[in-house]
Amino acid sequence: MNTNSLDLHGRILIIMSNLGFGQKKAKLASKKHPHTKVHRRVNRLKFKKKEKVLGRKISRNVCFIGLLTVAVLAGTLIPVGSTPWVTNVKAASVTVDSALSKFKDVKGHWAQETIAKALKKNLISGYQDGTFRPNGKITRGEYAAILARATGLEKAQGQAQNVFSDLTGHWSESAVHQLVAQGFIDVNDYVNGFKPNTELTRYEMMKWIASGLVKSESSFGDAFNDTKNTLLPTPEVNRGTIRPEQIPYLALVRGTGVVGGFEDGTLKPADPTTRAEVAAILLRYMEVEGTDASKYSDLNELREVGTTGTNLTTISNYFYTKNSVKVSDISDEDIYLSNNSGVLNLHRFIVVKVQGGKPEGVYNKLFVEPNVPLGNYYLTFADMSFTSKTDKTDLITYSGGLDSGLLKFRRLELEFSKKNGFTTIPDNPKDLITKGKKVRFWTRSTLDFKNGSYHIKTEKLGELKIQNMYY
């Protein structure tokens, strides 16, 4: 036996030892091998873990990469089946080469690594001409087929059949029926037929996977209910292009990071989506499905806004003091300015944490213009209705009637607020505020980063009181 054979034999014994095979000799050899620690970190067995979720079972595959290591050392590649879900174990390294060799049109594309990962997990396939067409629009049927492979939810017993007459004989029929039975697709959304060859909209894409999250773990169902009245961190909410019933679905996928939105913060729910975008989003979805909703800080902010009118306690170190009311409690309650210059109603109170001059939190891109001052503080944005009781329309007068720094009559940065669809106080307040007319707009203020205490008093419901004195 030559030296190379001896070396190969020793390595195989080492790996067998790491996999739990062999006797003492193998273990002794293992201790001397310079790569023993690496091999010990290799996960050794392929198994299927089943978890109960909402009375259902989720099947998750964990990759077997131990034998792959043996094969590589032996100079032979043993094919290992790709899995639609990897948990606790990192998949074998993914290279772009596999996608480049499979698809001739992905080189240099922003999603080429994503496409490679999706290919490895058997989520996607290309066309007979050797292309993937990453910028091509995706149809309902195509998305259904990919999502059916991506989900870890166990297939429902008595899978839905013949729910759409126009699906009979279509290649996506089985996948669509599976998703209907699992709760991804609501048949009431397609009363005129599923139309599998119709281009998928981004809202459909997001609604299906949001519904999947709700089915995968009960905490997502709670989050869905909590965000029905939230403020989505996208300028489209101010433009009237997102319907109220769409909000919780969009909140789930945005709050978990499954869908991050475009550079300008928009979600563009009515637009079609591409094959590359779907590959990227479903890879993220696979990581989120079946987890606990409370682990996602952005979603927690959206939930607090949906239930209390503010994200204050999620994003900041402030807390409500004893017997304090919440913003949502006083949203319809009149707050009288002490100098009798007007009366306001506070609807929402959004907080952005700024630390070292860097804005943080789910709302920072929606509210905060670039290049904010350095330092540590909290920027606050108040959505209020206001009725002036004076002809002066003087912002100094109005601010003087507020007994707390919690609210200020300060306008948002005008160009930035206009771009994002906010109504704020214009350069000439008289263009918006006139005596006796109730108007709604956003204002801004700040809270101290530590040792702060603020309150605002209503006539009937008591006070909203917050502090971080014990920072």
Side-chain angles (χ1 to χ4, degrees), residues 344-377:
L344 64 83
N345 308 110
L346 178 61
H347 305 296
R348 289 192 177 109
F349 188 75
I350 303 300
V351 182
V352 173
K353 181 179 181 180
V354 180
Q355 193 159 12
K358 181 181 178 181
E360 301 174 9
V362 73
Y363 290 105
N364 83 78
K365 290 184 178 180
L366 182 63
F367 284 96
V368 184
E369 67 275 12
N371 304 318
V372 297
L374 296 176
N376 301 329
Y377 51 94

Side-chain angles (χ1 to χ4, degrees), residues 136-148 164 166-167 170-177 179-180 184-205 208 269-270 272-273 275 278 282:
K137 301 300 186 289
I138 195 166
T139 66
R140 290 172 182 167
E142 289 171 333
Y143 181 58
I146 302 173
L147 180 54
F164 300 113
D166 62 338
L167 264 181
H170 193 271
W171 61 266
S172 69
E173 181 179 11
S174 177
V176 173
H177 287 159
L179 295 179
V180 169
F184 286 90
I185 298 174
D186 184 351
V187 295
N188 294 318
D189 290 340
Y190 304 99
V191 293
N192 296 318
F194 185 72
K195 300 178 182 178
N197 297 321
T198 298
E199 284 185 357
L200 184 83
T201 67
R202 288 177 55 80
Y203 176 65
E204 287 177 296
M205 174 189 67
W208 292 12
T273 189
R275 291 166 56 80
V278 164
L282 287 184

